[in-house]
Amino acid sequence: MQRVVIFMIVALAMVSTSAAQERGPVTNLPLPRFVSMKAAEGYARHGPGKTHRIDWVYKHRNQPLEIIAEYGHWRRVRDRDGAGGWMHYSLLSGVRTVLVEQDMLELRRNPEPSAPVMAQAELGAIARLEKCVLDWCRISADRRTGWVPKQALWGVAAEEIVE
């Protein structure tokens, strides 16, 4: 009986540790996390430093990126396609943006499928993320705002709530 109790305590400790979200060693912010490009152009390097070769050049201001690691002033990022590298933190912003992954995505007045359509967004459009509830997010682009299904976006986690 005592062995069973000890096993259960160890198992629970392992589950709670793996459920806790990893934190960045530099910022103590959650990893992974989404950010956007602050600059109009940014280099993703093979390693964390200017001496490392450039693997990728991003050319879209506000493009959403996912930070997956930190080292000093450098953040390891990846894009929707999984490409990326190390970028200097000054090129990134905490302003949240998303990438539309469905062509002619309907922006609705309320977070429900029967709500009136306010606008449409093209596949690949970059929009500002304003708010997310369980299955819906409110986005804005080109002075148009509306609610869209969360699964139609890249740049927000499935379980994430944004206020």
Side-chain angles (χ1 to χ4, degrees):
M1 177 72 173
Q2 187 177 7
R3 283 185 171 165
V4 171
V5 170
I6 291 172
F7 174 77
M8 290 176 64
I9 290 171
V10 170
L12 281 172
M14 289 172 62
V15 168
S16 66
T17 301
S18 65
Q21 189 168 26
E22 183 182 348
R23 296 266 175 192
V26 178
T27 63
N28 199 34
L29 293 171
L31 288 178
R33 68 180 179 274
F34 290 99
V35 295
S36 61
M37 278 271 300
K38 184 189 309 183
E41 181 176 275
Y43 300 138
R45 296 180 179 272
H46 194 68
K50 287 190 175 186
T51 59
H52 293 276
R53 76 171 188 258
I54 297 169
D55 287 339
W56 201 253
V57 179
Y58 290 104
K59 293 191 174 257
H60 294 285
R61 185 184 314 273
N62 297 323
Q63 177 172 346
L65 296 167
E66 184 177 28
I67 294 179
I68 56 174
E70 300 177 347
Y71 182 82
H73 292 310
W74 296 86
R75 306 295 176 259
R76 187 167 190 173
V77 300
R78 67 179 163 209
D79 60 23
R80 181 205 170 279
D81 299 322
W86 291 90
M87 295 183 76
H88 195 270
Y89 81 102
S90 66
L91 301 173
L92 304 172
S93 169
V95 173
R96 295 290 300 275
T97 60
V98 291
L99 196 62
V100 173
E101 292 199 295
Q102 178 182 323
D103 198 26
M104 302 314 288
L105 180 64
E106 295 177 335
L107 282 70
R108 299 188 175 274
R109 179 175 292 165
N110 300 310
E112 52 193 45
S114 60
V117 174
M118 305 302 291
Q120 292 181 319
E122 294 180 354
L123 177 68
I126 295 172
R128 182 153 185 176
L129 182 65
E130 295 187 355
K131 183 176 184 173
C132 288
V133 294
L134 186 60
D135 295 323
W136 291 81
C137 292
R138 191 170 84 198
I139 63 171
S140 64
D142 198 26
R143 290 184 269 152
R144 310 251 187 224
T145 301
W147 289 90
V148 298
K150 191 183 286 184
Q151 78 267 7
L153 304 172
W154 188 87
V156 62
E159 70 284 352
E160 187 175 6
I161 305 294
V162 178
E163 297 192 11

